[in-house]
C-alpha cells in the first residue's frame, strides 16, 4: 500500500503517525512545499520575539510525532493531482503513484487586493518558519511595526514585536479585536490588557496603501487619509484553503475540500483533513473550515485511521474553540458566541477582573456557546456540555451561577 500525504503540518503528520501505527508495511510519504522539516506552527511568534530557536519547534521526536518509517520530503511542492491514474505531480517533474491520498495542505494567507504596495520589502505574513525568521531579522533595525487585522495570530505577532521593544500599532476595520471570537461588548477586559501592554489600537479603519522607498516600508496610508510612519507591516487578514493545485483533479472544492464524516472526498481513495477541509460544526449544524491546530491534528488522525482501513467517524469541528492569552488576560471562546439580533438566551456575568457569557438555545434547554475572560478555570466542563449536547435541565442553575463541578457528570 502506498500512502501519499500532501502537507506536513498538524493534520498531515498526525495522519502519517496514525497510518504507521495500523500499517507497518505500507509506504508513507509526506510531501511538504517548505524548506524546513515539520514544526509546531503555533510557536512562530516565539521565533519573532527571539524566545525560541527552530530546533525547539521541531515536530518529529516530540510527543506523538515519532516519524518512524515515515518519508518526509521537503521542497516538494505538489502542482497537480491526477485522480484517474492515482498520481501526484511534484514541481521537480517527478510523479508519485498512490493507493490512498490525503490532502492536508492547510491554508494560505489572504492578501487583500485593495491594498497597494504589498510587494515592498518589510511587508510580511506570518505563516511559515521562513516568514517568522524574516520578521525577526527586519525587527532588528525597525522601530515601529503596523499590524493589519485583529485576529489571534496577528495579536500574538504584535506582542512578540512589543517584547523586542518596538512600537506596535494594530489597525482593524471592525469595531474591536478578535471579532471572530467575541462581540465588541465582550472585549472590555481584552482592550484594557492591550492598552496596559502598550499596544496602540486603531479601530474602524483600513490601510489603502503601504508606503515605501529604497529601504523598504516607511509607512502606511489609512482610508481616512492619515499616514502612520513605520518600518515593517504584518498582514493578518484571514486565510483561505490551499487548493489551487486541485483545479483539474475532479475533487470537489467549496471554500475547501468537501469531505464526509469519514474525511473522504468525492473521489475514491482521496481524503482531506485540517484547514484545507470543509467539515461539519456539530453545534451550529453548518459546514465550516477551521484554522485550529488541535482540530487539524484530531481530524488528521481520524483520516489516517480511515486510510489504513480502520473506519471511524470524525465528530466534526467544534466551530469556534480558542483558548489563548492576550497580554496577561486568558480567555476561552467556544461554540456560538455572536448573538446580536438573535433569539438565543444569554447570561452575562462581569466583574472588574472577569467576564463570562453563556449562550443557550432560544428555549433555554441546551448550552451552545460560552466565553470566559480572566477566569477560565472551569471552561473544560462547559466545553464538554456543549460538545456532547448534554441535557441541562437539572444543572442549569449551576451552569449559570458557575457552580459546575465534575460531580455533575457522575449522576
Amino acid at each position: 500500500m502506498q500512502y501519499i500525504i500532501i502537507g506536513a503540518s498538524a493534520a498531515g503528520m498526525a495522519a502519517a503517525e496514525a497510518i504507521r501505527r495500523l500499517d507497518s508495511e505500507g509506504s508513507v510519504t509526506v510531501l511538504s512545499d517548505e524548506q524546513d522539516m515539520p514544526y509546531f506552527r503555533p510557536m512562530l511568534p516565539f521565533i519573532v520575539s527571539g524566545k525560541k530557536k527552530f530546533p525547539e519547534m521541531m515536530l518529529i521526536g516530540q510527543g506523538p510525532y515519532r516519524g518512524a518509517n515515515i518519508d518526509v520530503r521537503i521542497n516538494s511542492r505538489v502542482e497537480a493531482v491526477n485522480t484517474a491514474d492515482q498520481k501526484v505531480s511534484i514541481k521537480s517533474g517527478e510523479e508519485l503513484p498512490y493507493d490512498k491520498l490525503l490532502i492536508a495542505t492547510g491554508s494560505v494567507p489572504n492578501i487583500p487586493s485593495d491594498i497597494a504596495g504589498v510587494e515592498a520589502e518589510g511587508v510580511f505574513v506570518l505563516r511559515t518558519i521562513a516568514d517568522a525568521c524574516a520578521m525577526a531579522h527586519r525587527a532588528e533595525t525597525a522601530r515601529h511595526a503596523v499590524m493589519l487585522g485583529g485576529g489571534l495570530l496577528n495579536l500574538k505577532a504584535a506582542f512578540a514585536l512589543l517584547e523586542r521593544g518596538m512600537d506596535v500599532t494594530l489597525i482593524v476595520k471592525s469595531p474591536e479585536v478578535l471579532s471572530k471570537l467575541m462581540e465588541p461588548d465582550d472585549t472590555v477586559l481584552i482592550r484594557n490588557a492591550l492598552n496596559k501592554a502598550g499596544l496602540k489600537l486603531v479601530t474602524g479603519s483600513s490601510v489603502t496603501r503601504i508606503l515605501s522607498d529604497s529601504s523598504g516600508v516607511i509607512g502606511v496610508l489609512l482610508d481616512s487619509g492619515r499616514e502612520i510612519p513605520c518600518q515593517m507591516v504584518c498582514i493578518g487578514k484571514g486565510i483561505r484553503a490551499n487548493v489551487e493545485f486541485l483545479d483539474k483533479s475532479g475533487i470537489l472544492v467549496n471554500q475547501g475540500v468537501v469531505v464526509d464524516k469519514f474525511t473522504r472526498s468525492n473521489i475514491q481513495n482521496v481524503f482531506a483533513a485540517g484547514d484545507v477541509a470543509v467539515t461539519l460544526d456539530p453545534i451550529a449544524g453548518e459546514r465550516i473550515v477551521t484554522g485550529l491546530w488541535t482540530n487539524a491534528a484530531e481530524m488528521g488522525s481520524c483520516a489516517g485511521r480511515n486510510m489504513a482501513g480502520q473506519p471511524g467517524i470524525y465528530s466534526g469541528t467544534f466551530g469556534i474553540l480558542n483558548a489563548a492569552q492576550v497580554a496577561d488576560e486568558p480567555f476561552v471562546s467556544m461554540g456560538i458566541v455572536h448573538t446580536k439580533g438573535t433569539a438565543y438566551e444569554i447570561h452575562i456575568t462581569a466583574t472588574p477582573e472577569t467576564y463570562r457569557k453563556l449562550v443557550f438555545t432560544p428555549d433555554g434547554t441546551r448550552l451552545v456557546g460560552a466565553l470566559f475572560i480572566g477566569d477560565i478555570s472551569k471552561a473544560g466542563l462547559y466545553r464538554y456540555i456543549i460538545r456532547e449536547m448534554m441535557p441541562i435541565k437539572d444543572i442549569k442553575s449551576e451552569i449559570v451561577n458557575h457552580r459546575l463541578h465534575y460531580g455533575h457528570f457522575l449522576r
Side-chain angles (χ1 to χ4, degrees), residues 30-41:
V30 181
L31 304 174
S32 172
D33 63 356
E34 295 193 47
Q35 61 185 2
D36 300 289
M37 290 296 283
Y39 54 90
F40 189 55
R41 202 176 298 274

Side-chain angles (χ1 to χ4, degrees), residues 136-370:
H137 179 70
R138 182 78 177 184
E140 291 175 358
T141 56
R143 301 178 303 279
H144 186 193
V146 167
M147 320 296 289
L148 310 186
L152 187 55
L153 182 58
N154 226 29
L155 277 175
K156 290 182 177 181
F159 277 93
L161 294 172
L162 283 171
E163 289 174 356
R164 297 185 69 111
M166 293 183 63
D167 291 328
V168 182
T169 299
L170 186 74
I171 300 173
V172 295
K173 184 65 174 176
S174 54
E176 277 295 347
V177 297
L178 300 173
S179 58
K180 291 186 177 181
L181 302 178
M182 58 190 76
E183 294 181 300
D185 290 344
D186 302 328
T187 63
V188 174
L189 293 179
I190 298 292
R191 171 67 86 99
N192 291 343
L194 298 181
N195 291 339
K196 184 179 179 181
L199 181 68
K200 301 179 182 71
L201 184 60
V202 179
T203 60
S205 297
S206 58
V207 168
T208 60
R209 178 177 293 275
I210 297 172
L211 309 174
S212 63
D213 61 13
S214 58
S215 67
V217 172
I218 59 171
V220 297
L221 177 66
L222 303 187
D223 52 3
S224 64
R226 175 186 174 190
E227 289 188 16
I228 300 177
C230 63
Q231 295 77 45
M232 61 186 295
V233 173
C234 184
I235 301 176
K237 304 289 285 184
I239 56 175
R240 54 186 173 82
N242 184 9
V243 293
E244 283 76 8
F245 68 101
L246 299 177
D247 280 351
K248 298 180 181 179
S249 67
I251 297 171
L252 179 61
V253 172
N254 184 1
Q255 294 186 305
V257 178
V258 179
V259 297
D260 64 12
K261 61 185 179 181
F262 296 98
T263 68
R264 300 175 300 200
S265 76
N266 64 307
I267 301 294
Q268 187 176 10
N269 297 325
V270 178
F271 300 73
D275 298 7
V276 76
V278 178
T279 183
L280 181 70
D281 178 344
I283 306 304
E286 301 171 348
R287 285 193 166 272
I288 64 167
V289 174
T290 179
L292 295 179
W293 179 276
T294 51
N295 285 342
E298 180 184 354
M299 193 177 188
S301 291
C302 179
R305 292 191 296 272
N306 284 321
M307 293 167 71
Q310 186 180 89
I313 294 174
Y314 179 58
S315 59
T317 292
F318 188 12
I320 302 168
L321 175 56
N322 264 290
Q325 181 166 312
V326 173
D328 294 325
E329 204 67 75
F331 74 88
V332 175
S333 175
M334 50 186 155
I336 296 169
V337 294
H338 293 83
T339 57
K340 186 176 181 179
T342 70
Y344 289 110
E345 180 184 317
I346 306 161
H347 294 263
I348 293 176
T349 304
T351 73
E353 293 81 28
T354 65
Y355 182 88
R356 183 171 69 253
K357 177 179 181 179
L358 304 176
V359 182
F360 296 85
T361 52
D363 62 6
T365 61
R366 189 159 60 88
L367 183 68
V368 294

Side-chain angles (χ1 to χ4, degrees), residues 4 78 80-89 95-98 101:
I4 296 290
V78 173
V81 174
N82 182 339
T83 55
D85 295 336
Q86 297 201 167
K87 294 180 179 179
V88 299
S89 299
E95 285 190 337
L96 298 177
Y98 68 83
L101 174 69

Side-chain angles (χ1 to χ4, degrees), residues 106-117:
S107 56
V108 293
N110 179 44
I111 308 296
S113 59
D114 57 353
I115 300 178

Side-chain angles (χ1 to χ4, degrees), residues 17 26 47 54 69 72 94 115 117 131 141-142 147 166 177 198 224 229 245 260 273 370 403-404:
E17 295 290 347
I47 295 291
F54 179 65
N69 297 319
V72 178
E94 184 181 4
I115 300 178
D131 297 330
T141 56
M147 320 296 289
M166 293 183 63
V177 297
S224 64
F245 68 101
D260 64 12
R403 296 194 299 259
L404 201 63

